[in-house]
Amino acid sequence: MVQESVRNRLLEKTNAYRQKNISEVTGIPVEIILKFMNGKRELYDSSLQALNQYLDTHAYL
């Protein structure tokens, strides 16, 4: 799993899912999600896996 591919998936889905909801489910603070989305930081492996799992589980738009 690559940071950039998860970032791209997140950017594609943010129109359907609000960052706050993603944060509540994954446990990743909204501020971290926003920085990750903007390419200003990378996620720890555990957060990256949680976010990727969220995106897999919530694949519908």
Side-chain angles (χ1 to χ4, degrees):
M1 167 175 24
V2 181
Q3 298 273 333
E4 192 64 29
S5 67
V6 176
R7 182 180 292 117
N8 288 337
R9 290 179 65 205
L10 177 61
L11 289 170
E12 290 172 3
K13 296 186 182 294
T14 51
N15 291 333
Y17 310 118
R18 294 179 46 205
Q19 292 88 358
K20 182 178 178 187
N21 294 341
I22 295 170
S23 174
E24 289 173 356
V25 173
T26 63
I28 304 168
V30 174
E31 298 81 18
I32 302 300
I33 292 172
L34 292 173
K35 287 180 181 180
F36 177 71
M37 289 174 61
N38 292 321
K40 294 185 179 183
R41 81 163 282 163
E42 292 192 349
L43 297 176
Y44 294 122
D45 285 340
S46 59
S47 295
L48 188 65
Q49 289 175 0
L51 181 56
N52 192 55
Q53 183 177 11
Y54 176 89
L55 294 170
D56 285 344
T57 307
H58 298 83
Y60 55 87
L61 293 175

